[in-house]
Amino acid sequence: MEPPANPGDGPVELEFTVENVESALYQLYFDPVMERKNVAQKWLTQAQASAQAWQFCWALLGPDKLPEIQFFGASTLHTKISHHWSDLPTDQHESLRMQLLSHILHFSSGPKMVLTRLCVALASMALNLIPQVWSQPVADMVRAFQPQKADSEGAQDPQAHCLALLELLTVLPEEFQSGRLAQARRTQLRGALVGEWAVVCPLLRQLLQSQDSSNQVKEKVLRCLSSWVGLDVPLGESHELVQDCFGALSNPELFDTAVETIVNAISQPDSQRCIDALVNLMPLVLGLHDQLKTAAQDGDMETSHGICRIAVAMGETHSRVLLEQVEHWQEYLALVNMILFCTGIPGHYPVSETSSSLTLTFWYTLQDDILSFEEEKQAVYLQVYRPVYFQLVDVLLHKSHYPSQDEYASWSSDDKEQFRIYRVDISDTLMYVYEMLGAELLSNLYDRLGRQLMDPQQSAVWQDTEALLFGFQSIAETIDVNYSDVIPGLIGLIPRINISNVMLADTVMYTIGSLAEWLADHPVMLDGILPMVLQGLVKAELSVSSVSTLKRICRECRHDLGPYAQDILTMSQDVLVKEIHKSSQCMWLMQALGFLLSALPVEEILGRLHSLITPHVQQLDTLAQQEPDPTNKQSIVHILGMLSSLFTTLDINRQADSLEGASSPRPTPSQSTQNPVVVVLQQVFTLIQNILSKWLDDSEVVEAVCGVFDKSVRTLLHDFGPMVAQLSEMLGQIYCAFPQASALDLARQMVHIFAGEEHHTSNLKSLIEVLTSTTLTIFHQGPRDHPDIAESFMHLHAQILKRKPDMYLSDQLDVKRLFYCGILTLKFPETLTVKAATLFFTELLPRCKDMPSLGEVLQRDGKLLTETILQAIGGESPRSLTEHFSEVLFSLNRHCPALLSQWLKETLQTPGFPSAQVSTEQKNTFRQQLLSEQTHKRRVKDIVKEFSLLCRGLQGSGYSDY
């Protein structure tokens, strides 16, 4: 069938006729060219919004049309009714209703997608007319769908009519839930629909109980109930129907839908008010326990998963209410035990069971509810439920067991990841349970671990040991266990563990790491523990756990590691040279060694530092002499990254501060003694220059070089002073040759720290002039391809204005061009770049009164700045940036209100500026509101936000709430 016309040729000129709509639909569905599909899509959207759509939609529903065309006709009807209802005269409402009902009956046998859209259209119509015009919609719909007499002409299948009615009753609440309605109208409609439940509920019960109802009808009944439950219909009025749903659980074809419906029904928070109904449902939930056990034994994951969902929904949603039903305490305890069975369901998650993870949040809820009772009542509940929680700990530890290594090796990477996340969830649950069980839980775990390690037969099963350590680690990671009397025993037991199994060894490492703070208070225990960590360090498969544990020990116990320093440094140097660890773990290891070196006597640090980094510096020297290639580059970046990591944590001043006031304070280096890091940096400076001479055009290498100095500056602060002169010169040379954002960021750090020191002013001033001149050239050539440079440049100058504004008095800084660069940066699409520009202006504007050069520029270009900001607010920039633009307007209003008033008046006079959506009156109101507010920044943000929404046509759309 050939389409009669081609809307792609000129969609705007085409009339909205049936033929043209069909043609556009053919183009949308069957044209292979995406551009023409898009044109058709746009035109069809316009067609749906047109007045003619009320007519052509019926023609598209003709029996001779393709299902896709019929679907568009039904969708158009829904669009017109839901969005253009006011266009339809009231005297046509009744005929529209009759037409819709007639077509729904006609399409009751399919296609399903057309039937559903027609039902949604009628539901939307009902929501427009309830309750004033259409007072009893459900009763009317039921009447319209009564099975016709067998001998009547054109009679259709009664089941099809029944299914169509159920579809209509299902989409009615769904359409209400999805519609955008004013709160008052929503409340009114909800009340009216809940009133209709009295008609719907008996009908659904009758169909569900009827012997004649097919599975298809019963499934539709269940879905319909789910839909109405979403309206918060009282459980007291529907609990008999919910009880009937339990009968459907024995039917395999209905099982999944029945589970979904029951869970939805009992998960409604409002149903807590219907205590009798909940109590009546309890035996039905408990009655599923046998079916659950059978399913678990047979490995029927779907059935056990479904029943588990029902039990958890009942227990979790109504935990508090059911706990308070003291006369039914045994039933609720039975439900809790049923959920405990679900938690411990046989099999390994997620491969042979998927139910246990559903139950974990229930245990949080139950514990919170028990602990929220007053003390006396709480004691009674704890007497009943503490034993259950001890059982829960056993179950959780068992569920955290790894499978055998062969089985684990057969798992997919996705299954392994899900199991890892599952163990994290178990860990969180154990940590939470500790609040209820307290020190007794740790004693319990310790006793079991002791028995296991003393019995050769038991300790042969590594999973048991691993699970107990996992339990300890889960608790120690977040709970302060420093005062626990079992930790010394645990530390004593750990060296007895055979860590030949990788997974067990991993957990041993993490457990030691979680006890690092305890070890800092009990350093005598390091003797038995540290060798295990160093032993793990040489194994690549323990890389993450051993390195992170060593880092934690070096950070927490650094003052007590002197006797072990040589062993740690030797072992670390060995694994680094042998390249056992991946790059990120090498960085962690260097950070660990930085902590370690920081705490050593000052006179020892430089020697040990040299022995640590010399092999890497030598390798760097060799690489610097070779011709650039990708392999060399990665090695250079890696070594520079290791130096950065080391210098991040090597801080002798912090160590001196932390020991201040101790009985024998550590001597601080004299003024003439340079910081060891500075000595090393000066020694490798020439080498770094050699590297840069070959890799200057590679942003990754330059960034790595800047990273070494950046981390050093941040850590050493003023101790870095001796490096300022030569680093300033090198940074200027780097940036002139090949501008990179990382060089600007490093310069910003130097300004931040050294701007107040007069003897560094000359070097910093020269550096800033070179960086600024070079960046202004980039802006002149077109900065759009360098948002990172624009962002860093704005941050640098915001820092200068904050820390050393008199640099702006220099004749070498072109303040006019700087100001204009700021305006250009405000127009960038990148969020972070625009934020940096707004920060620049909020630092600059307060200085304009005191600095004539800035005042002149503001006088000249302030109007352009105002215009740019208004354009951005009006729709040029994302709404998320409105708050930042408002800060610039607030600063303008605070520091030059008269000028801002004039600029606003002049710019807002332009018709259609900053948006055609705002009237002259609205612009004047905005101007007056803005100018009247000079003290409350929050108020200005609200004013600007409201104006921005007006400009975008979003005022009153609900977006103002976000």
Side-chain angles (χ1 to χ4, degrees), residues 732-791:
Q733 292 168 353
I734 291 174
Y735 196 76
C736 284
F738 201 85
Q740 309 251 7
S742 52
L744 296 172
D745 294 335
L746 177 51
R748 172 160 59 102
Q749 279 303 319
M750 292 168 70
V751 169
H752 175 63
I753 292 160
F754 297 108
E757 298 183 18
E758 287 303 317
H759 56 289
H760 292 309
T761 300
S762 173
N763 290 315
L764 289 177
K765 185 169 173 290
S766 301
L767 172 61
I768 297 307
E769 286 170 0
V770 168
L771 297 178
T772 302
S773 168
T774 306
T775 309
L776 290 176
T777 305
I778 294 173
F779 268 87
H780 181 69
Q781 293 166 349
R784 187 59 209 93
D785 294 334
H786 307 283
D788 55 337
I789 288 177
E791 179 189 337

Side-chain angles (χ1 to χ4, degrees), residues 533-553:
V533 178
L534 296 180
Q535 184 187 340
L537 209 59
V538 301
K539 298 179 179 178
E541 60 270 24
L542 298 180
S543 181
V544 176
S545 59
S546 61
V547 173
S548 64
T549 295
L550 181 62
K551 181 181 168 183
R552 291 176 78 168
I553 289 174

Side-chain angles (χ1 to χ4, degrees), residues 449-466:
L449 183 64
R451 286 196 301 273
Q452 215 167 78
L453 293 176
M454 298 304 173
D455 182 342
Q457 280 189 315
Q458 284 193 45
S459 58
V461 184
W462 66 266
Q463 286 97 332
D464 293 337
T465 307
E466 192 279 335

Side-chain angles (χ1 to χ4, degrees), residues 135-139 142 169 190-206 225 228 231 233-234 236-238 240-241:
S135 57
Q136 295 180 316
V138 171
V142 172
L169 293 178
R190 185 187 295 278
L193 288 172
V194 169
E196 293 290 289
W197 180 240
V199 181
V200 178
C201 187
L203 172 67
L204 298 184
R205 279 205 80 188
Q206 179 190 342
L225 171 55
W228 281 82
L231 294 174
V233 294
E237 294 178 19
S238 53
E240 291 174 334
L241 176 56

Side-chain angles (χ1 to χ4, degrees), residues 36-49:
R36 290 210 286 265
K37 283 179 180 287
N38 292 338
V39 169
Q41 174 76 58
K42 191 173 179 182
W43 185 85
L44 285 165
T45 304
Q46 293 170 351
Q48 282 190 318

Side-chain angles (χ1 to χ4, degrees), residues 150-355:
D151 57 354
S152 73
E153 194 179 335
Q156 294 185 2
D157 178 6
Q159 175 166 300
H161 279 197
C162 182
L163 289 169
L165 172 61
L166 288 169
E167 179 70 17
L168 184 53
L169 293 178
T170 302
V171 300
L172 183 59
E174 290 172 353
E175 183 68 4
F176 165 76
Q177 301 282 23
S178 63
R180 296 184 76 167
L181 301 163
Q183 191 55 49
R185 176 63 177 154
R186 180 171 288 279
T187 304
Q188 181 192 35
L189 268 179
R190 185 187 295 278
L193 288 172
V194 169
E196 293 290 289
W197 180 240
V199 181
V200 178
C201 187
L203 172 67
L204 298 184
R205 279 205 80 188
Q206 179 190 342
L207 290 170
L208 197 57
Q209 291 175 341
S210 170
Q211 299 284 329
D212 299 330
S213 294
S214 64
N215 281 345
Q216 197 179 358
V217 168
K218 288 182 178 179
E219 184 177 7
K220 201 71 201 163
V221 167
L222 294 168
R223 292 190 189 281
C224 188
L225 171 55
S226 264
S227 179
W228 281 82
V229 157
L231 294 174
D232 295 333
V233 294
L235 185 62
E237 294 178 19
S238 53
H239 72 277
E240 291 174 334
L241 176 56
V242 176
Q243 288 174 14
D244 294 341
C245 296
F246 278 83
L249 292 170
S250 57
N251 184 331
E253 288 184 38
L254 299 176
F255 181 83
D256 289 342
T257 312
V259 167
E260 201 65 45
T261 303
I262 293 167
V263 168
N264 287 343
I266 59 183
S267 295
Q268 294 300 317
D270 208 40
S271 55
Q272 291 183 358
R273 292 186 302 194
C274 311
I275 294 167
D276 290 344
L278 287 172
V279 170
N280 289 336
L281 287 174
M282 185 70 89
L284 293 170
V285 178
L286 295 175
L288 299 172
H289 204 159
D290 287 341
Q291 190 180 351
L292 171 65
K293 286 178 179 173
T294 304
Q297 285 168 1
D298 296 345
D300 181 351
M301 289 165 65
E302 287 76 14
T303 301
S304 51
H305 189 90
I307 295 174
C308 175
R309 284 186 62 201
I310 292 171
V312 170
M314 179 63 108
E316 192 171 340
T317 312
H318 309 296
S319 169
R320 175 99 190 183
V321 170
L322 293 171
L323 278 170
E324 288 174 335
Q325 306 312 303
V326 182
E327 66 277 16
H328 296 286
W329 72 271
Q330 287 173 308
E331 283 187 2
Y332 189 56
L333 180 60
L335 179 66
V336 171
N337 280 311
M338 183 175 173
I339 295 171
L340 183 63
F341 176 84
C342 294
T343 307
I345 204 158
H348 273 112
Y349 182 91
V351 175
S352 51
E353 67 91 1
T354 55
S355 306

Side-chain angles (χ1 to χ4, degrees), residues 785-805:
D785 294 334
H786 307 283
D788 55 337
I789 288 177
E791 179 189 337
S792 296
F793 187 60
M794 290 292 108
H795 276 304
L796 170 61
H797 276 276
Q799 187 68 266
I800 294 167
L801 287 161
K802 191 174 186 177
R803 301 278 293 137
K804 195 72 174 169

